[in-house]
Amino acid sequence: MFALELAGLHEEQGNYPKAVSEYLLVLKEDARHYPTVEARFAEFGKSGEAVEAVLTTLADAVRAQPEDTLRMRLLTSYSLGVAKPDAALAVFVAMDRRDAAAEAMLIQIAAQCDDGGAYATALAAYRTLIERFPSSSFIPQAHVGVARAEEGMGQIDRALELYDEVRRRFPRRSEAQEACFRIGEIKRSVKRDPDGALAAYRELLGIQ
């Protein structure tokens, strides 16, 4: 527990690199402290300088021990919490980990970026997942996520193509329902194609 107190002291002094290092030692000694450490990270200073110091130290620690899943999980959690998901994604891409933990964290990064409108990062994360985990149960979600990201970035024709691919590739799944709905909305509101929109909506009803 002394390591926790020492880490807390560094944190109070604003010495975030030292605090991060001490908290990582805490995890090394006892992984059961992860919830406490994650909660402490969430309370770190939010100034740009503090955030960059924490991200840099965490990223270096993950690169130093890429097999340490708790470090990678902490980097993911912190980067998402400070709206810097691209920082975690860059480390993921460079590490080329292909285990279940990396798979789960990739979809977490992608989904949160998707929800938050960070479409370029979401697109990169979804594509990385598709490339590295072709047998993943998240593949349908990733494909419709790619389409959403393209749509969000204004690539409407490309998005339509991708939604159509999802509709055909994953029939009777919720992702096919979403694809049909988005096709209908795009054709109705953007393409001004009421017949095309109606066909998509009818197909959606057939899936439900």
Side-chain angles (χ1 to χ4, degrees), residues 77-130:
S77 172
Y78 182 76
S79 66
L80 291 174
V82 296
K84 296 276 190 179
D86 51 319
L89 182 60
V91 175
F92 274 73
V93 171
M95 286 195 315
D96 195 22
R97 276 187 58 165
R98 298 176 186 252
D99 55 48
E103 175 189 2
M105 280 177 253
L106 263 177
I107 196 66
Q108 182 184 0
I109 291 171
Q112 186 151 337
C113 291
D114 194 350
D115 291 341
Y119 296 119
T121 304
L123 181 62
Y126 283 131
R127 284 177 170 166
T128 300
L129 189 141
I130 291 168

Side-chain angles (χ1 to χ4, degrees), residues 21-35:
S21 297
E22 290 297 333
Y23 280 127
L24 292 179
L25 284 177
V26 170
L27 292 180
K28 184 177 181 181
E29 292 173 2
D30 190 343
R32 291 175 297 179
H33 287 304
Y34 181 84

